[in-house]
Each structure stands twice: as C-alpha cells, then as structure tokens.
Amino acid sequence: MCDTCEFTSGPPPNALGKYLLVPLTAGGFLYAGMQLIFTAQRLTEERGQMMTFVQGFALFGVGLFVWYSGMGAANPKQRRQRILKYRRAWEDEQAGVAAPDTTSLLGENLEAVVVAIILALIIRHFVMEAFVIPTGSMAPTLLGDHFDLECERCKHPFPIAKREYELTQGETETHATATCPVCDYTFERDLTRADMRSGHKILVNKFIYRFRPPRRYEVVVFKFPNTPWRNYIKRLVGLPGETITVRNGDVFANGERARKPDHVIDSIWIPVHDAAWRRTGGEPRWDVVAEDLRPAWQFGKDGAEDLDGAWMRCDPAQAKLPAGQETAWVGYQHRKMHAAYAYNREDSARGPITGDLRVRARVTPEAGAVVRLGILETTRLYDEENNSQRDEERLVAARFEAGQGEATYAIEANGEVVAQVKGPALTPGLPHELTLAYADDRARLQLDGETLLAWDDPFGPVEQTYDVQVRLGAAKAPAVFEQLRIDRDVYYVPSRSNAQYDPSIQAIEIPQRSYFVMGDNSPNSEDGRSWGFVREGHMIGRAFLVFWPPTPEHLRLIR
C-alpha cells in the first residue's frame, strides 16, 4: 500500500496461479454454468427451466469474476491504469477538487462482470444464441445424445441414438443392436457411460430473418407451435403459399422438383460404402456385370484379396465386348441401396431404395483411357389395365478422358451425351479424384474436388425406384481404381404415424406467412408431418455453426 495515496494492490499471481489455477477455476465455473444453461433448454416445465437458467447464469458470472480478478491482477496494463486512476484521484483531493471515489479491485471486476453478463443477455436475445441438440431428428446433420461405436467387422466408427430412458436411473450399462452403415454388418454391444456423448452444441443467428425471409433447406430453430416455450430445430422444406409433395424421397413444390443447392447436398451426404474400411469376410462388393468382362479386371493388388474396392485395375483390351459397347463395367453387388439410418439402431427398417448417390474414386489412367462412373437406376412400372409390369433402366454416367492437351468431359444418359465441357485432360500415370454426384435429378461431374460440369435431368424418375447399381469402368486403355466410396442423399420417407400433414401421402397446402419443416432423419422425426406449420412469428433464427464438441469431425458450418 502506498503511504501517500493509500493505493493498494495485491501481489500479482505467480506463474502457477496465472497459467493453471485461475484458468482451471474460472473454466470450471464457466463450464458448469454452460452445462446448466444447456440443461435448461432440454426441460419442458417452465418454472424448472427458469430456475436452471438462473443457476447457470450465476455460475457463469462467478467464472467471469474469477477470470477478471485473477487475470486482471496479472495484467501489467490494468495495474498501470489503476495506479494512474488513484494518482489522479489523490491529486484532485490535494487540490481540493471533488473527485469520484476510486473503486476497489473487487468493485472494478464486479462491474466488468455485470457489464459482460448484460451484453451476453442482449446478444442472446437479439443476435445469437447457443442451443443444445437433445434428439436425433436431424441426424446425421446434427446429433442428439448418442453413443459412439466401432463396427466389429470393418472398424468404421459411427454414432447411434441414445434412448431417453437409457443410463438415467443409475444403471452402469445398456444393451444395443447396431448395423454398420458402411459394411451393413449387424452386431450387439453392451454400452456404458464411457461410450455416451452429449448432443451437438450449435449457434443460431437470431437477427438474419429481420432482414430477409427464411429460405428453403435452411436449418431453422423455431418455437414449437403446440407449446411455444419449447424450441425445435428442423430443415425448412416448404415456403408460404406453396403446395408440396414428396415423391421418391424428393420434395416437389407446386409440381416442380425443389432441388437442394449443391452446398446443402455436399454437407449431408450419408456414407454407404468406403473401401478404406475393409471387411474381414463376406461377399465381394464389386464384380463384373457380365462374365465376358472378367478377363479385363483384376481385384486386389499383387494377388491380395480385395472385397471392398480398395484397388482394382481394368484393361478393356482383355474384355470380350459386345458390338457397340466400349466400356468394361463392374458394378456394386450383393447389397441394395437402401435409405437406411444406422443412427436409429434396430428400430430403423431397411427403408426404400434410393438412387440419389455420389460415387468417388481415386483413378490413375494410362494415356488414351476413357473412364466412366455411372449410376444405373431401375424403375418398375405397373399397368393396372393389363395387370402387368415392366422395368425401365436408366444409366447416368460421367466420362473422363486421359491424354495430352485438351479433353472433353461429358455427362451421359443411356450412352447419349447430354452435357459436355472442354478442359485439360487427365494426366496419364498420375492419380485423380473423380466424382459423379446425382441427387434431386441433378448430375455433377467433379475432378479433384472441382465441379466441371452440371446437368439438371428433366427426365428423372418420379415413381418409386426399384433397384440401383453403381458402376465404373474404362475404355480404350487401362486404368487403376482405388479408394472407392459411395454416399447417399437424405431420403424423406412417409411418417410412421400416418400423420395428417404428410406430403408423401397427399399434397399439403402451406398457409400464407407459414412454413413447413421436416427432420433430416425422417424415419425418426416429429415434425411438420405430425403437427402442421410454423408461423412466421415463431421463427427464432438460422442454425449456422456446430461449436461443440470442438473436434474436426464435428466442428463445422451448418448448411
């Protein structure tokens, strides 16, 4: 303490206090406060929710106070400012000038904490708010409380839903049946709290809809129409005044297909096959589509067994190709392309067949090779008058050329070019990432992560898809295919409860100033199909960021 001006300053904390004790103590209070705030968002009873919010903000305030107090004492700049403040007050006192009372360190920190909390409340109310995802209705885009598993056969990690009653009454473990989304292997596991993970924590932009209306396929947070004090999160699929239907898993608005923007589709692809996760048994996933093509294909490098497409080589010159055909094809075999949701555990039925797929491969071509990635979709049509049926097949393929100089990249439908573009040819002997994405009847050809060509298919099937096969092949010169991967788009299935507003069953007319929403995990989502529409005034904001857990596979923008 100064004998002249009576300035008092405690000793600055040592390195242990500054870098360990203060951050740990403050972090503990902040974390506990945030957990209580997120817990309050899950509660349905209004009084209990308010009390939990108050407790959470109180702990959060204590954490801020500890941080300001501890780190402020260690901050030379703040210490100099306090010394200068006391000096000016002492000089004013000596000169007989009235001066405001100097504030103690406790008062200064308390003032800073109060201001910080007020600013946080203002930001939370008007600008941005954090929410916790309690359920899996938006999986796999957003995960609720879940368990992390690893497939016993291919070792692929994936989440499954935690049921509300599991591990809540003091139990130490629960039993689950799960099916791997990549290799389709079903197994049983005993799960403990160590396997359990809480739902995603997200940030919501609360002011954006003050400047523009919500847009189709945005992920929105809104007040639940039946109990407005509860918040829900879904994907917006229908706009005011529209008539929407769902056919073959896709949304139609006023009779026209409502295609998802490319950036939305690219954020929600669901894995179906990945050769990086290799099985230890079972049928091979890739095989020739005709026996005459078998001499052209080698499955597995250096004689090693390859069941999943980790390495395949095609030499089309060795195939016995029929007249008019230049490509030696292989197809994805022994597994149907079901719109299954592994997240839902054994509750999830296999689901319908889907043709909205993305196929990717790392391809090393030789000079002159023409490489194709294709999706063959079969639709079964019924003739009620003649009591007969017939199948229609349609192959949409992306064509890539290897060589020197310029090449023609093309999208083909049943062998006919429907879109093409010129560009540098694939470099012979070097690997390239080739992609064909086909969803919402929109095909995209991508090379090394860049979209070179897109085509909106006006003739895509609207009836139920009967079968789908992913194909790939080469013509004119050899090519090596590695790291085969297949993903699928979200598929909107009919509601389990024969809901009143289900667009899969009937056309739904959306009132003015209202919106229609559905969950990405449509087999397990209570959404607009059950309770109708979200009024404009109930919209809270647009979800835009998953910030917790802060790991690479979870931390991301929400599309």
Side-chain angles (χ1 to χ4, degrees), residues 51 69 77 153 168 170 189 196 211 228-229 234 241 264 319 324 341 347 424 430 444 454 503 545 549:
M51 292 298 297
S69 300
K77 182 177 179 180
R153 184 163 69 170
T168 58
R189 273 281 307 276
M196 191 170 67
F211 301 98
W229 58 87
K234 305 292 177 187
V264 172
Y341 288 80
D347 285 348
L430 292 181
R444 285 181 291 152
L545 177 69

Side-chain angles (χ1 to χ4, degrees), residues 9-13 67-76 78-79 105 109:
S9 175
W67 179 266
Y68 277 116
S69 300
M71 302 309 290
N75 190 323
Q78 290 189 23
R79 290 169 65 87
L105 179 62
N109 289 326

Side-chain angles (χ1 to χ4, degrees), residues 281-463:
E283 297 285 346
R285 289 293 187 221
W286 299 90
D287 202 358
V288 293
V289 299
E291 282 301 316
D292 289 344
L293 305 179
R294 190 168 299 282
W297 282 90
Q298 176 187 347
F299 300 94
K301 192 174 184 179
D302 300 327
E305 183 182 45
D306 185 355
L307 301 174
D308 301 295
W311 190 94
M312 300 184 293
R313 184 178 186 274
C314 177
D315 183 356
Q318 304 301 317
K320 299 177 181 179
L321 294 169
Q325 180 177 325
E326 67 171 7
T327 304
W329 292 103
V330 293
Y332 189 75
Q333 312 270 6
H334 306 297
R335 184 185 178 188
K336 297 287 188 180
M337 291 294 175
H338 289 284
Y341 288 80
Y343 184 86
N344 296 339
R345 297 160 62 165
E346 69 271 20
D347 285 348
S348 176
R350 280 296 171 199
I353 303 294
T354 177
D356 285 3
L357 303 172
R358 176 177 68 174
V359 55
R360 295 175 289 169
R362 186 170 180 260
V363 180
T364 305
E366 295 187 13
V370 176
V371 177
R372 286 182 171 88
L373 308 180
I375 298 171
L376 178 67
E377 191 166 1
T378 303
T379 304
R380 178 158 292 179
L381 304 177
Y382 294 91
D383 186 344
E384 295 182 359
E385 292 184 3
N386 299 319
N387 193 26
S388 62
Q389 63 185 30
R390 60 185 176 87
D391 291 344
E392 286 190 357
E393 291 186 344
R394 196 156 182 272
L395 176 64
V396 175
R399 188 185 75 197
F400 306 81
E401 297 179 354
Q404 303 296 326
E406 194 174 56
T408 300
Y409 296 93
I411 295 175
E412 303 169 338
N414 285 340
E416 295 185 5
V417 174
V418 293
Q420 60 183 357
V421 66
K422 297 288 187 179
L426 303 181
T427 304
L430 292 181
H432 295 273
E433 181 79 12
L434 309 187
T435 301
L436 168 63
Y438 185 78
D440 294 344
D441 285 345
R442 175 176 169 83
R444 285 181 291 152
L445 179 154
Q446 296 177 323
L447 172 61
D448 295 327
E450 179 183 355
T451 298
L452 300 185
L453 185 62
W455 173 63
D456 291 340
D457 185 354
F459 307 110
V462 296
E463 302 300 329

